[in-house]
């Protein structure tokens, strides 16, 4: 009996060994037909997660920035404005074993368009201007046609800001909406204060570019914006001031030759058909340049030595617009005429009637 039990156990062990051998053989046989790769059931998910081979920078969307007069902290991420919408160089992906060498620095620079200077367009407002909303919207459509980079700074009284802010959000133009709470009875003093608010903002945030004061009622030749991008320090040009009610056109600005200022004119051209001014029309130096008739490099506000201006002068941060006027008029050799011979008008300023209170009897008729 004992020998029979031992023989049965040996047979069972042999059967188990044969079964195990058969299973291993079958698994090995079918495994040999599988592809030699690391593909898994989740390979379709991995395919969606390709390594990043390059990063591109796109123009920022319109951003509203209302700055309070008490100097609240400003998000620095809203202040950084690229000089142009440049595309970063494409870097090879990790683990890329291709034999192609990376593109040279010279080739990548040639492939990219030349960078443009940032244009900083400053516009002041008036509460008594009944056409202000329409004029701002018209100017916004003009600025929208200008190639980037461009920043539009609109300055306005705090009480009037909400309605304008709603309109600015729909323009598609990158802008800053600055406000102030001071009250003024003199429109000229209020306009200068608004310009100082804008220049203080530019200086505080070191916004490097070409500053131009664009009135809401200005009309522009689009070639003008590409011209002022070529300004290194200061630029000037003639402005045509048009009055529809009086049917009058006055040309205010420089007389130029080969990009150099030879004199200044303030000439009524309504009935004068002469194209070229005479010696009697010119003045050696104007008391003040038309606010829409010049542009300047913003770095003069915080780096005057770069443009030959001593830093030992009294602090002018409280009246930056006066400082800019003084710098421009003290040395006309730094001025660049646009265009070179000032033979073409590219900026028109349209005078519009202000809101006038109705007499008492007219009000009663209007109500009825």
């Amino acid at each position: 009996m004992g020998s029979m039990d031992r023989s049965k156990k040996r047979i069972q062990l042999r059967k188990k060994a044969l079964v195990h051998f058969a299973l291993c053989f079958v698994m090995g046989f079918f495994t040999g037909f599988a592809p030699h790769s690391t593909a898994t059931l989740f390979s379709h998910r991995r395919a969606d997660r390709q390594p990043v081979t390059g990063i591109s920078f796109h123009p920022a969307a319109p951003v509203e920035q209302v700055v309070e007069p008490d100097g609240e902290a400003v998000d620095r991420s809203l202040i950084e404005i690229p000089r142009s919408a440049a595309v970063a160089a494409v870097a090879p992906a990790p683990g890329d074993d291709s034999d192609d060498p990376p593109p040279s620095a010279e080739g990548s620079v040639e492939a990219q368009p030349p960078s443009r200077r940032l244009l900083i367009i400053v516009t002041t407002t008036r509460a008594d201007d009944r056409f202000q909303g329409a004029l701002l919207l018209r100017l916004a459509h003009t600025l929208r046609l200008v190639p980037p980079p461009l920043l539009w700074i609109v300055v306005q009284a705090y009480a009037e800001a909400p309605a304008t802010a709603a309109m600015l959000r729909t323009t598609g133009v990158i802008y800053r909406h600055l406000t102030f709470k001071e009250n003024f009875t003199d429109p000229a003093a209020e306009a200068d204060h608004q310009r100082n608010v804008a220049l203080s903002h530019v200086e505080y945030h070191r916004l490097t570019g070409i500053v131009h004061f664009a009135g809401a009622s200005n009309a522009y030749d689009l070639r003008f914006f590409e011209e002022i991008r070529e300004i290194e320090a200061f630029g000037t040009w003639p402005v045509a001031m048009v009055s529809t009610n009086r049917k009058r056109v006055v040309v205010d600005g420089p007389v130029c030759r080969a990009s150099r200022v030879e004199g200044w004119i303030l000439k009524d051209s309504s009935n004068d058909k002469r194209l070229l001014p005479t010696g009697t029309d010119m003045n050696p130096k104007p008391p003040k340049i038309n606010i829409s008739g010049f542009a300047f490099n913003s770095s003069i506000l915080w780096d005057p030595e770069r443009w030959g201006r001593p830093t030992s002068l009294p602090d002018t941060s409280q009246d930056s617009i006066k400082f800019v006027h003084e710098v421009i008029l003290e040395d006309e050799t730094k001025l660049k005429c646009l265009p070179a011979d000032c033979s073409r008008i590219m900026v028109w300023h349209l005078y519009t009637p202000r809101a006038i209170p109705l007499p008492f009897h007219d009000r009663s008729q209007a109500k009825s």
Side-chain angles (χ1 to χ4, degrees):
M1 291 293 295
S3 60
M4 292 180 65
D5 293 337
R6 283 195 295 270
S7 61
K8 288 181 179 181
K9 289 181 179 181
R10 290 176 182 173
I11 293 172
Q12 291 177 355
L13 290 175
R14 290 175 181 175
K15 288 181 179 180
K16 289 181 179 181
L18 289 173
V19 171
H20 288 171
F21 176 78
L23 289 175
C24 292
F25 176 80
V26 172
M27 291 179 63
F29 178 79
F30 286 104
T31 302
F33 290 99
H36 298 282
S37 67
T38 57
T40 65
L41 295 176
F42 305 99
S43 60
H44 65 282
R45 296 186 182 181
R46 296 182 60 184
D48 296 338
R49 301 180 182 180
Q50 297 294 333
V52 178
T53 59
I55 301 175
S56 61
F57 298 93
H58 301 279
V63 179
E64 177 190 0
Q65 180 65 22
V66 179
V67 178
E68 300 294 343
D70 53 0
E72 291 182 0
V74 180
D75 187 356
R76 297 295 300 181
S77 63
L78 300 179
I79 303 303
E80 298 299 330
I81 302 171
R83 278 198 154 202
S84 63
V87 179
V90 177
D96 188 359
D97 297 332
S98 61
D99 296 332
D100 297 334
S104 62
E106 295 181 357
S108 60
V109 170
E110 291 178 357
Q112 296 178 2
S115 61
R116 299 187 181 96
R117 283 194 176 95
L118 170 67
L119 296 182
I120 305 172
I121 309 299
V122 178
T123 301
T124 60
T125 59
R126 286 190 61 175
D128 62 347
D129 190 348
R130 56 180 175 175
F131 300 114
Q132 180 174 270
L135 293 174
L136 286 174
L137 186 59
R138 183 177 66 93
L139 181 58
H141 285 304
T142 299
L143 298 179
R144 193 174 180 179
L145 299 175
V146 180
L150 182 144
L151 173 65
W152 188 22
I153 298 180
V154 180
V155 189
Q156 192 172 28
Y158 181 77
E160 307 292 332
T164 302
M167 183 273 294
L168 291 175
R169 283 193 289 266
T170 66
T171 60
V173 180
I174 299 177
Y175 68 91
R176 298 287 183 269
H177 193 193
L178 311 183
T179 64
F180 63 96
K181 292 184 178 179
E182 292 82 357
N183 295 320
F184 295 90
T185 57
D186 183 8
E190 180 180 5
D192 281 345
H193 175 74
Q194 293 185 40
R195 294 177 189 118
N196 285 328
V197 169
L199 294 180
S200 297
H201 182 82
V202 171
E203 180 179 3
Y204 178 78
H205 296 294
R206 296 294 195 269
L207 301 180
T208 303
I210 304 300
V211 180
H212 168 60
F213 297 99
S217 59
N218 284 6
Y220 290 92
D221 184 331
L222 286 178
R223 292 173 293 181
F224 165 79
F225 297 98
E226 293 306 314
E227 292 272 0
I228 64 175
R229 277 198 166 107
E230 303 302 321
I231 294 174
E232 293 295 336
F234 308 99
T236 185
W237 51 85
V239 178
M241 298 179 290
V242 182
S243 177
T244 55
N245 292 346
R246 300 180 181 178
K247 297 181 180 179
R248 185 183 180 190
V249 178
V250 177
V251 178
D252 183 10
V255 177
C256 305
R257 178 176 297 176
S259 296
R260 297 181 67 88
V261 176
E262 291 192 342
W264 302 84
I265 60 170
L266 181 61
K267 179 182 176 182
D268 188 344
S269 302
S270 304
N271 299 317
D272 193 345
K273 303 302 181 181
R274 292 175 301 167
L275 297 178
L276 296 177
T278 62
T280 58
D281 298 326
M282 291 192 298
N283 297 319
K285 182 173 292 188
K288 199 172 185 180
I289 301 181
N290 188 299
I291 195 63
S292 294
F294 69 90
F296 62 96
N297 194 308
S298 62
S299 62
I300 186 64
L301 299 173
W302 62 82
D303 189 11
E305 286 187 341
R306 178 181 176 185
W307 310 110
R309 182 79 173 178
T311 57
S312 58
L313 297 175
D315 181 24
T316 56
S317 59
Q318 299 301 319
D319 198 354
S320 299
I321 188 62
K322 180 181 178 181
F323 168 71
V324 170
H325 273 294
E326 291 176 353
V327 173
I328 292 176
L329 290 176
E330 71 182 4
D331 187 2
E332 293 180 354
T333 61
K334 299 178 182 178
L335 290 173
K336 178 181 180 180
C337 295
L338 301 176
D341 55 356
C342 294
S343 60
R344 185 171 70 248
I345 300 293
M346 295 185 292
V347 181
W348 294 264
H349 179 74
L350 176 64
Y351 278 101
T352 55
R354 305 292 179 183
I356 302 176
L358 292 173
F360 179 78
H361 63 278
D362 291 342
R363 294 180 186 177
S364 60
Q365 292 177 3
K367 290 182 181 179
S368 61

